[in-house]
Amino acid sequence: MFGEQKIAYSGVQPSGNLTIGNYLGAIRNFSEYSEKYKTFYCVVDQHAITVRQVPADLRRRTYETLALYMACGLDPEKNTLYVQSMVHEHAELAWILNCFTMFGELSRMTQFKDKSARHADNINAGLFTYPTLMAADILLYQTDVVPVGIDQKQHVELCRDIAERFNQLYPGTFTIPEPIMAKHGMKIMSLAEPTKKMSKSDENANAVVYILDDRDTIIRKFKRAVTDSGAEVRYDPEEKPGVSNLMSLYSCFSGKTIEEIEREFDGCGYGDFKLAVGEVTADALAPVQASFHSLMADKGALEALMKKGAEEASWYARRTLAKVQKKLGFVQIR
Ligand code: AQP
């Protein structure tokens, strides 16, 4: 809360091409908060470097992520859209919060365990302290709600713990944020290993449908999706994780309920169903892709937006950081 204004904050890492998991779990839902809240949507490029990135790819994806935000319906006049590394207060507050976060808390984070297993040659301190940078992102804006997929819920809960600990020592510093998750699409699973989350950094491109995949690629990937034994289109995430994931996707993109889908595909084989999921996904993504390509054609306009967004965000970030520094006893000479 900043004055009377309630705040919503979220971000996406430009760490790979964005997936339909990022779309359904996060970006697609962002615009619904624009009316009720002052909204900040960040391209969190500093988070992305916890895993090695090719610089040219990181730069390109930063532009692309901003363009995708807009292609998914975020109006830059109604939402503050910006790039994390252009607002230096994020890194400064993250350092301070590191001093209020316990080693044991960070060690328990599932994402740290998963990513350090996947990148065993590069278990750097940034990977470990990722959640304190995320807490800084959120707390800098006195955020009330954080729309995220369920995989990020644990990090938002840690952010709350850090803020409460800080507030106990220095009352009234931070608003305590709440995570909010979409009703549907909160966790989209891999098409190759349906017990694993779909991730943009997955090395198997067939396991992942990217928002920008063309129609043929989308349909081909769904045709190859791993399903389960049996041939019945029935929702049962325990026994039939592959088909259940495809049903969730079909439901998210078509707006139909799971019961309606079970009825619609009663007696059909997996082949017909997979084709239908591919088609509904490609249809839903087509307008997003068209808008994305026209936005990407004007790089100058994207850069002007990045600048404007960073200026807007800095205004808020500066105020919170100054408050924190004062409470801690840092000398402030203006
Ligand atoms: N599979 C998913 N289902 C639902 N929501 C998802 N999100 C990510 N994957 C899924 C949500 O997307 C938002 C942005 O995620 P992120 O870029 O901050 O990082 P992440 O959660 O680590 O996403 P990825 O795709 O798995 O990235 P990499 O591979 O780089 O780690 C978040 O709100 C997240 O919940």
Side-chain angles (χ1 to χ4, degrees), residues 10-16 18-27 30 44 53 111 115 118 130 147-153 185-189 197-202:
S10 198
V12 175
Q13 299 183 68
S15 49
L18 302 197
T19 73
I20 53 172
N22 300 127
Y23 178 68
L24 296 172
I27 309 176
F30 286 173
V44 288
Q53 302 292 334
Q111 190 184 74
K115 287 206 172 169
R118 263 162 51 203
Y130 177 113
V148 279
I150 203 163
D151 61 310
Q152 289 293 340
K153 186 166 174 256
M186 53 164 74
K187 193 168 187 187
I188 302 301
M189 311 308 275
K197 183 184 87 144
M198 185 181 285
S199 259
K200 60 175 109 70
S201 59
D202 197 316

Side-chain angles (χ1 to χ4, degrees), residues 10 31 33 46 62 82 86 128 178 184 275:
S10 198
S31 57
Y33 301 99
Q46 289 173 316
T62 302
Y82 72 103
M86 291 173 73
F128 189 62
E178 289 282 346
H184 306 289
L275 178 64

Side-chain angles (χ1 to χ4, degrees), residues 11 16 24 35 38 45-46 53 59 64 120 125 131 163 175 177-178 205-206 223 226 228 245 287 328 331:
L24 296 172
E35 299 303 329
K38 163 82 193 130
D45 55 345
Q46 289 173 316
Q53 302 292 334
R59 200 170 297 118
E64 288 176 353
T175 303
E178 289 282 346
N206 286 322
K223 276 188 181 161
V226 167
D228 319 278
N245 187 39
L328 287 169
V331 174

Side-chain angles (χ1 to χ4, degrees), residues 314-326:
S314 296
W315 187 86
Y316 288 85
R318 264 199 311 275
R319 290 178 54 162
T320 300
L321 185 65
K323 181 178 177 186
V324 169
Q325 289 171 328
K326 187 170 173 204

Side-chain angles (χ1 to χ4, degrees), residues 8 32 50 57 68 94 162 164 169 179 196 200 207 228 245 265 274 290 297:
E32 76 185 66
T50 52
D57 290 346
L68 268 176
I162 298 169
E164 276 164 4
L169 291 162
K196 208 179 95 182
K200 60 175 109 70
D228 319 278
N245 187 39
F265 292 93
K274 287 184 190 180

